């Protein structure tokens, strides 16, 4: 079952970017590219060689691969309802977070390795935004670990059941937090605009300006993999414990499609925040997760 979940996420990642682009095209009233266009662009890059500057070291050459592999390994831990991922153990959500951190770290030092001051600015912003989003993830997962009595992804989502108004509110807020974390981790609206070409205000895109060919293809597809990964986590909030595959898989696919449409909707109708407002916006996620923690305490009867 774990390999099926893994393959489903990989499959969805191939279409996620295309659905986002098609959604933005529809809202903009234009024809736009097809759903498969991002995949075609990545395939074209995979067939090209990478160009490396004489000022960069081996870190710049290995960073895209490390970043991509860290996401692949993180995906192996994602469950689907009561069905465990390829890798599952107590406390695996902590390992999951720091696997992604390792990939992000190599991506950041790769940008610094180029010696480009603009890439250095993007790297510092990426590090700051990730640091501000991290407490929200851990408070959220710790709250659900407290609620279910389990410390693994599979144990938490396999035991998670919403049955009261408070639990429904907690589930909605948790899904909302993961949506925002996915947008932050992928440097999308309203934190960053992936289509901007103004280096002074770019975050992730300015970090990969010197990447080309195969390496750039890895980085571009890694973004779609991250979206599909977080979409898989979000889909677990809409599954009931003990769900069969004929129910689980359609809910998973529907959630991923709606998530991609939502990303396209946000990027069509929401302007990017000013850079100095981003830290405030991201840190509010911690406040939301504290509300989730309070809701969990109410559900457990710890608060009268």
């Amino acid at each position: 079952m774990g390999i099926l979940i893994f393959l489903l996420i990989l499959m969805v990642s191939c279409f996620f970017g295309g659905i986002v682009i098609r959604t933005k095209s529809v809202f903009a009233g234009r024809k736009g590219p097809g759903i498969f266009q991002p995949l075609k662009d990545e395939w074209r890059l995979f067939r090209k060689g990478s160009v490396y500057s004489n000022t960069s070291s081996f870190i710049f050459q290995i960073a895209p691969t490390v970043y991509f592999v860290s996401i692949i390994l993180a995906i192996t831990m994602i469950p689907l309802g009561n069905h465990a991922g390829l890798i599952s153990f107590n406390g695996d959500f902590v390992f999951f977070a720091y696997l992604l951190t390792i990939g992000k770290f190599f991506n950041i030092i790769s940008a610094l390795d180029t010696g480009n001051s603009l890439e250095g600015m993007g790297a510092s912003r990426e590090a700051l935004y990730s640091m501000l989003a991290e407490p929200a993830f851990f408070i959220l997962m710790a709250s659900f670990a407290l609620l279910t009595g389990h410390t693994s992804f599979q144990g938490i989502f396999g035991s998670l059941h919403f049955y009261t108004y408070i639990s429904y509110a907690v589930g909605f807020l948790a899904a909302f937090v993961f949506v925002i974390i996915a947008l932050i981790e992928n440097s999308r609206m309203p934190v960053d605009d992936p289509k901007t070409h103004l280096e002074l205000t770019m975050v992730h895109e300015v970090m990969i300006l010197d990447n080309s060919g195969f390496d750039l293809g890895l980085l571009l597809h890694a973004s779609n993999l991250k979206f599909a990964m977080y979409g898989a986590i979000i889909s677990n909030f809409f599954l009931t414990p003990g769900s069969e595959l004929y129910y689980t898989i359609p809910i998973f696919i529907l959630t991923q499609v709606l998530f991609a449409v939502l990303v396209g909707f946000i990027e069509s109708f929401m302007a990017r925040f000013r850079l100095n407002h981003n830290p405030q916006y991201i840190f509010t996620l911690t406040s939301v997760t504290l509300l989730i923690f309070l809701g969990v305490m109410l559900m457990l009867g710890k608060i009268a």
Side-chain angles (χ1 to χ4, degrees), residues 118-297:
L118 294 173
E119 293 198 29
M121 285 194 297
S124 66
R125 292 167 188 158
E126 184 110 335
L128 174 64
Y129 297 166
S130 296
M131 181 192 71
L132 294 175
E134 189 175 293
F137 173 81
F138 280 114
I139 294 173
L140 175 59
M141 294 307 301
S143 298
F144 284 131
L146 182 65
L147 177 64
T148 61
H150 297 279
T151 58
S152 67
F153 270 131
Q154 189 274 330
I156 290 171
F157 290 122
S159 306
L160 202 56
H161 182 57
F162 303 117
Y163 52 90
T164 65
Y165 289 116
I166 295 176
S167 65
Y168 285 127
V170 166
F172 173 79
L173 288 175
F176 168 77
V177 168
F178 272 115
V179 167
I180 302 302
I181 287 177
L183 294 176
I184 294 168
E185 286 293 300
N186 286 285
S187 294
R188 308 294 288 229
M189 291 285 198
V191 172
D192 187 29
D193 184 356
K195 296 300 181 184
T196 187
H197 295 288
L198 183 59
E199 290 88 347
L200 290 174
T201 58
M202 292 163 70
V203 182
H204 179 73
E205 295 301 314
V206 76
M207 292 173 58
I208 62 175
L209 283 178
D210 285 340
N211 292 103
S212 59
F214 185 83
D215 291 346
L216 183 57
L218 285 179
L219 292 171
L220 292 178
H221 193 64
S223 179
N224 291 325
L225 281 172
K226 263 192 176 182
F227 268 127
M229 177 184 70
Y230 282 110
I233 294 175
I234 294 168
S235 68
N236 282 285
F237 293 109
F238 302 98
L239 298 173
T240 56
S243 300
E244 298 296 332
L245 283 179
Y246 62 81
Y247 172 77
T248 300
I249 294 178
I251 291 294
F252 168 83
I253 295 175
L254 179 62
T255 303
Q256 294 279 9
V257 172
L258 291 176
F259 183 30
V261 171
L262 177 62
V263 173
F265 178 84
I266 290 173
E267 295 193 356
S268 297
F269 293 98
M270 195 167 186
R272 186 178 60 176
F273 291 149
R274 293 173 59 184
L275 282 175
N276 59 342
H277 289 174
N278 281 337
Q280 295 172 293
Y281 168 75
I282 296 171
F283 200 64
T284 55
L285 286 182
T286 302
S287 302
V288 176
T289 53
L290 289 176
L291 288 176
I292 294 173
F293 175 73
L294 179 63
V296 167
M297 297 300 283

Side-chain angles (χ1 to χ4, degrees), residues 54-88:
N54 292 329
T55 61
S56 62
S57 69
F58 73 97
I59 293 203
F60 181 75
Q61 300 178 27
I62 67 170
T65 303
V66 174
Y67 183 64
F68 186 83
V69 170
S70 69
I71 297 173
I72 291 290
L73 290 176
I75 288 173
T76 62
M77 300 181 188
I78 305 299
L80 205 55
N82 59 321
H83 305 288
L86 281 173
I87 301 174
S88 181

